[in-house]
Structures are given as C-alpha cells and as structure tokens.
Amino acid sequence: MSLQVGLTGGIGSGKSTVARMLGDLGAVVVDLDVLARAVVAPGTPGLAAVAAEFPGAVVDGILDRAVLAGRVFSDPRARERLEAITHPLIRAAAREIAEAAPAQAVVVHDVPLLVEKGLQDAYDLVVVVAAAEPVRRERLRRFRGMGDEEITARMRAQADDQARRAVADAWLVNEGTEEDLRAAVDHLWRNVLVPAARAS
Ligand code: ADP
C-alpha cells in the first residue's frame, strides 16, 4: 500500500501551495474540497440522499449550495445530518484513490482540520505547514482580500501551533519566498517522503 500523508496547517500557512508542489514532484494529491463537491455531483447517490433529507436543496438534479448552506449554517443538528451523508462518502472516495495509487506512491491528503478533528492516526505521516501569524494575516489580506475580523474569527476556530506540533512528524516553515518553500518541499520529498514510501 502507498504511503498516506496527512497535510495540514492553519489558514494562510501555505498548505495548498505545498500540496500543489508535492503534486508536481509526483505525489497523488487527495483534495477533500474536490471530493466534497464530487460526492454530491449530479446523478450521484450522495446527491439523492441530500435531496431526500433536505427538500428544496436540489433543483432539477443540481444542488443549490446557497439553499443548503442556509439550512445548515445556524442549525448544528441539520449540519450533522448533512455530514452523516457526505463524510462517509468523502472518506470512501479518499480511500479509493489511495488504494488505486501504485505501491510506493506518496498519497498526500490535504486536510485543513486534521488536528481539530484528531485525524492524525489515519495517516502514516503528518506534515504541518506553519508560518507566524502576522505573515499569514498579510497573505490573507493581500491574496484573498480578507478583512482583519474575518481572519481573526477563522484563526480562532482553528487549532494553534502547539496542538499542531504535538501531532507533526514534519514541520515545514513557510515564512520566506515561494522558492524557499519549494526547496524545503523538495528536501522533504527526497529525504523523508520517498524513503518512507519505499519502506512502506
Ligand atoms: P492555505 O492553503 O494554507 O490557506 P495557501 O497555500 O492558499 O494557504 O497560501 C495563501 C496565499 O499565500 C496564496 O495566495 C499563496 O499563493 C500565497 N503564498 C503561500 N506561500 C507563500 C510564500 N512563501 N510567499 C509568498 N506567497 C505565498
């Protein structure tokens, strides 16, 4: 079986950038956001289940995301019902990709809430991307146009670095240029991930 790597990091740390770089190096990247959309794509059993549970959220065979978001946004029980449908499907889709990957492949699972949800044991190795808070804030302001309050709220809802450190097998600091990051990712790939995949 291939090596399962859980990749995580706080918002603005550069996690998605690292996932892309690892993909360029040859990793099979499993993006949960992509899978979350795929399991409720038109014609899927997932969408049929959502339609049955949330009448009005599926119109002409297509999910109306705004309607669904409105139903679950301030109703934790509704959110749980939705996640009871989607999460097992997302997990199964991720497992299918991992099982289809060649032996000795490095499969990178991009999991924003890995630490918050205590998912570290699902992976052979956990890689955390980290950057100091002011650096992350500046990126989110500049590249995503986010305001300070929104950034603070998003960060407060996430784990802190101490909690991430407790589960990290590798800690990638991303506070320099993208070239610096690429060098660190290359190093991780060659010296940690590929050897671990060979041994798996
Ligand atoms: P995350 O997925 O952790 O929220 P991203 O990988 O999307 O973060 O990075 C946030 C933004 O910062 C993106 O626009 C990305 O291109 C940019 N970025 C990431 N790392 C660097 C870096 N070392 N130098 C400059 N910009 C960066």
Side-chain angles (χ1 to χ4, degrees):
M1 177 83 165
S2 49
L3 183 80
Q4 308 307 308
V5 177
L7 175 69
T8 195
I11 183 168
S13 61
K15 178 182 59 65
S16 311
T17 306
V18 169
R20 203 174 54 245
M21 289 176 175
L22 288 170
D24 291 344
L25 288 167
V28 175
V29 178
V30 178
D31 184 329
L32 292 188
D33 289 340
V34 172
L35 295 186
R37 283 193 292 275
V39 300
V40 290
T44 56
L47 187 64
V50 170
E53 188 70 42
F54 299 94
V58 177
V59 179
D60 295 334
I62 294 174
L63 181 63
D64 187 327
R65 286 178 185 282
V67 168
L68 186 61
R71 298 271 179 85
V72 303
F73 183 69
S74 53
D75 183 347
R77 304 260 304 271
R79 178 178 290 270
E80 272 171 29
R81 293 200 331 263
L82 175 62
E83 291 181 346
I85 296 169
T86 57
H87 283 186
L89 294 170
I90 294 169
R91 273 198 298 276
R95 196 160 46 235
E96 214 171 285
I97 294 171
E99 284 171 1
Q104 302 198 348
V106 176
V107 181
V108 174
H109 300 258
D110 181 337
V111 189
L113 298 180
L114 186 150
V115 177
E116 292 80 354
K117 304 226 159 171
L119 298 174
Q120 58 272 11
D121 293 343
Y123 306 100
D124 301 313
L125 272 173
V126 172
V127 175
V128 174
V129 186
E133 196 177 303
V135 176
R136 294 163 57 201
R137 283 182 175 276
E138 171 61 18
R139 283 182 194 143
L140 295 170
R141 273 194 296 264
R142 174 142 29 127
F143 299 118
R144 296 216 192 128
M146 287 171 68
D148 283 330
E149 276 176 29
E150 188 188 359
I151 294 172
T152 301
R154 295 286 294 273
M155 286 184 169
R156 284 232 180 95
Q158 295 191 332
D160 59 19
D161 273 356
Q162 199 185 346
R164 292 196 185 95
R165 259 190 207 283
V167 302
D169 296 295
W171 188 262
L172 269 184
V173 177
N174 176 27
E175 292 177 351
T177 64
E178 289 207 30
E179 242 161 68
D180 295 334
L181 180 63
R182 190 174 288 282
V185 171
D186 276 346
H187 186 272
L188 177 78
W189 175 257
R190 253 181 291 128
N191 296 299
V192 179
L193 301 183
V194 169
R198 291 223 174 101
S200 68

